[in-house]
Amino acid sequence: MIPTVHVDGEHRGQGRYTLTDTESGRVWGVCAEVEGLFREPRRGTYELFGWVPDEAEVRGWVGSRVWPVPEDRTLDAWLLEDAESLGRSPGTDGLVLTGVDDCLGPPEGHRAPVRLHDGYRWLGSCREFARLLAPEDTSPPLVLRGLAPGDRLRRALATGTRRALDLEEAWLEIRDDSGEPLTDRLLRPKVRTWRPSSCGTDLIDLELGTELAPVPGHARPVWERWFAGPPEAPGAWAELETRQRGAWLDLVRERGCRIKHQDRPARHTYELDGRHITDEPSLYLALGEAVNGPGGYFGGCLDALVDCLRGNFAYTAPATLLWRDAATAREHLSRLLTPEGEQYDLVALVLEVLTEGGMHVTCT
């Protein structure tokens, strides 16, 4: 069931998406559908000349995250999200790789030897890592379909000037089917065009030009699951692959930082089900559910875990954590690689942080 949201006090709109001015908090409008939110992000293409794999040849799926580590240590490693190998470049000794580059990538035109790892193992090395010419960005606009506009938006559309149609900065607030906040996206929207909507009387389809990090295809089933509301039983993420577990953790984090938790009294005992902890997202998902129940949040990285242990996330020190099947996490997460390729033990670090935060941990 799509929630009903107030627009300008008197008007009510059916929608899980609310466009809200960041400065005043006033609602521009509400709609049930946003076109352009779910799509594949713009991907870069790279050629790794002189590719030498560390183990078996890398083909097809590589991993949700891959770090190229320059042999010239004057440059830091950078991150390729959602990386995928297209196999050997025909007639060359190079490997073609695609991925979503982060903002810390090498300077434009930089070509140099790198080694690659996925956070768990070294994948291989090449004598030259080159970014190929990116295709022109043809990202579609963001279209709010069946939008119930507020009075302020109606006035802006009636004025029609470039200044009036520049909405400057707004939140796209996203709710689940019960109307509870789920997540949001910060936009700098400019109205391109609008037209009467086929979704109902007095509704419009509003087309916005804005920069937006889209939700990729692999994450959409996770979002659809969360639109129905938080899970009723723990471990609903257990059968997901690592990329989808990461998407699940993102929503858990964003929702968990919005809701108000009631702190439990000190000396509470929590139980962590460690059977499905085979990657980094699952470690934090299992820990979040141990402390705050199904779909619960209690940190998504070490720094966030430290913050949660300081309060406001249903935890009061001292407490006890019974970690069941801890051997599974130790098997998969005790020899991880930092972005620069240094080995570390994530389980040991988490145990250290928990202990320093007043959590007595017993592993079984």
Side-chain angles (χ1 to χ4, degrees), residues 100-118:
V100 181
D101 208 344
D102 69 5
C103 60
L104 303 178
E108 193 67 33
H110 178 79
R111 304 166 77 95
V114 300
R115 292 187 71 194
L116 265 71
H117 71 80
D118 63 2

Side-chain angles (χ1 to χ4, degrees), residues 104-137:
L104 303 178
E108 193 67 33
H110 178 79
R111 304 166 77 95
V114 300
R115 292 187 71 194
L116 265 71
H117 71 80
D118 63 2
Y120 300 92
R121 60 177 181 138
W122 287 102
L123 302 173
S125 61
C126 66
R127 66 172 183 271
E128 186 176 321
F129 183 97
R131 181 189 282 110
L132 304 184
L133 183 64
E136 184 178 350
D137 189 2

Side-chain angles (χ1 to χ4, degrees), residues 149-226:
D151 291 340
R152 189 180 180 200
L153 180 57
R154 291 182 188 277
R155 289 194 297 269
L157 298 181
T159 302
T161 64
R162 181 178 299 179
R163 181 175 180 180
L165 298 180
D166 184 351
L167 307 188
E168 295 185 351
E169 190 175 79
W171 288 110
L172 181 65
E173 300 174 348
I174 305 171
R175 299 174 180 271
D176 65 24
D177 291 347
S178 68
E180 292 299 314
L182 179 59
T183 184
D184 55 39
R185 291 293 185 270
L186 183 62
L187 310 176
R188 295 192 63 86
K190 295 183 180 180
V191 177
R192 289 186 178 179
T193 187
W194 68 96
R195 64 189 68 85
S197 176
S198 61
C199 298
T201 306
D202 294 330
L203 302 181
I204 64 173
D205 293 339
L206 184 72
E207 182 178 309
L208 301 175
T210 184
E211 291 291 329
L212 174 71
V215 180
H218 70 263
R220 184 161 190 168
V222 175
W223 280 58
E224 296 290 350
R225 171 61 187 81
W226 273 90

Side-chain angles (χ1 to χ4, degrees), residues 62 72 116 144 207 227 237 264:
V62 175
D72 178 2
L116 265 71
L144 280 59
E207 182 178 309
F227 280 147
W237 46 266
R264 294 187 181 88

Side-chain angles (χ1 to χ4, degrees), residues 12 39 52 174 192 198 220 282 294 312 323 361:
R12 295 168 66 85
R39 59 180 173 81
V52 179
I174 305 171
R192 289 186 178 179
S198 61
R220 184 161 190 168
S282 60
N312 300 323
W323 189 330
V361 183

Side-chain angles (χ1 to χ4, degrees), residues 3 9 11-13 95-96 143 158-159 215 226 230 241 299 302:
H11 299 87
R12 295 168 66 85
L95 181 76
V96 179
V143 181
T159 302
V215 180
W226 273 90
E241 45 94 1
L302 288 173

